[in-house]
Amino acid sequence: MKQHHRIYILSTVLLILGITPAVCQELETIVPEKEFPQEYIEVTHNRAYDFVKEMDLSSEKIDRVTEIVAQQYRDLSAIQDTRDAKIEMIEEQFDEDDTIEQMTREIKIKAQLREDALHRQFIAKLTAEISAEQVNEVKNGMTYGVVPITFKGYLKLLPGLTEEQQTQIKAWLIEAREYAMDAGSSRQKHHIFNDYKGKINNYVSSLGYDLEEAEKRLQERQQKSE
């Protein structure tokens, strides 16, 4: 009965958030079965706890949010590990490049759909526990605080940015964060952010900013303040 009660509560929350019953059913089956060693379970728990413990939450809430985040790490790993194993199997079984490419593409698409559905489920679970601002704190924790750090860096580098320009830069960083949250490694997370930083740099350059000159001026300002 308790399990059915939890499913009913989650379904109600998802409906409030505008997620349909069909999607609710999809969310229950998106993660492939995979057993993890206790050591990895502890690693994911500690990884989540390291930043959740710094949030302004009760001890009970910290425990619940920590487990939600830790489970998200494990679920993403299950999807990505299963995807990689299937691709490896195809590469071993087939010789034709076209066949391998087509089947690999299909596997990656299906895995991406699973990740997207899992992402929606994850946000729904967090939203049921904490405020929107705190959800953003979790997102920053999962992506090493790159959004606030990078945004602050652009404001220092280009103090003449208008409010509209600042809004655009922050929007791109937040968009990058949504993708980086689901990346399987820190290297992949930073790769996503670097792609968006390139987009931002092209944007500010198109506005007439000289980034090399701006960097020199920033260094001069920092030297003067020391």
Side-chain angles (χ1 to χ4, degrees), residues 72-160:
Q72 177 71 359
Y73 285 138
R74 296 193 289 271
D75 288 346
L76 282 169
S77 182
I79 292 173
Q80 293 161 358
D81 290 351
T82 300
R83 174 201 63 201
D84 295 344
K86 288 181 178 179
I87 292 174
E88 183 177 353
M89 187 182 302
I90 287 171
E91 291 174 344
E92 292 176 352
Q93 291 181 346
F94 297 92
D95 296 324
E96 300 84 359
D97 290 342
D98 290 344
T99 301
I100 294 174
E101 182 179 353
Q102 177 62 29
M103 296 182 72
T104 297
R105 184 185 302 113
E106 292 176 0
I107 290 170
K108 287 182 177 180
I109 290 173
K110 290 179 181 178
Q112 187 60 60
L113 290 173
R114 285 174 176 260
E115 287 185 23
D116 293 344
L118 181 66
H119 187 99
R120 293 190 295 268
Q121 182 190 49
F122 176 58
I123 299 303
K125 287 181 178 179
L126 288 177
T127 302
E129 293 284 351
I130 55 181
S131 69
E133 183 178 350
Q134 290 169 330
V135 170
N136 284 329
E137 289 184 50
V138 170
K139 292 179 178 181
N140 285 333
M142 295 178 72
T143 53
Y144 315 114
V146 172
V147 169
I149 292 171
T150 305
F151 184 64
K152 184 178 180 180
Y154 275 110
L155 295 185
K156 286 184 177 181
L157 182 65
L158 304 169

Side-chain angles (χ1 to χ4, degrees), residues 45-69:
H45 178 275
N46 293 338
R47 187 189 306 167
Y49 182 71
D50 280 345
F51 62 83
V52 174
K53 69 181 180 182
E54 302 299 329
M55 298 173 63
D56 185 18
L57 299 171
S58 66
S59 58
E60 293 82 2
K61 190 79 75 171
I62 286 175
D63 289 342
R64 291 200 296 274
V65 174
T66 294
E67 183 50 37
I68 290 172
V69 177

Side-chain angles (χ1 to χ4, degrees), residues 7-74:
I7 292 174
Y8 173 78
I9 292 175
L10 177 58
S11 299
T12 302
V13 171
L14 294 173
L15 287 172
I16 291 173
L17 294 172
I19 301 177
T20 66
V23 174
C24 290
Q25 184 176 4
E26 170 199 18
L27 297 180
E28 294 179 24
T29 58
I30 57 176
V31 180
E33 290 188 11
K34 181 177 175 65
E35 290 190 12
F36 293 100
Q38 184 61 35
E39 181 181 359
Y40 182 73
I41 293 175
E42 292 176 1
V43 167
T44 57
H45 178 275
N46 293 338
R47 187 189 306 167
Y49 182 71
D50 280 345
F51 62 83
V52 174
K53 69 181 180 182
E54 302 299 329
M55 298 173 63
D56 185 18
L57 299 171
S58 66
S59 58
E60 293 82 2
K61 190 79 75 171
I62 286 175
D63 289 342
R64 291 200 296 274
V65 174
T66 294
E67 183 50 37
I68 290 172
V69 177
Q71 187 63 54
Q72 177 71 359
Y73 285 138
R74 296 193 289 271

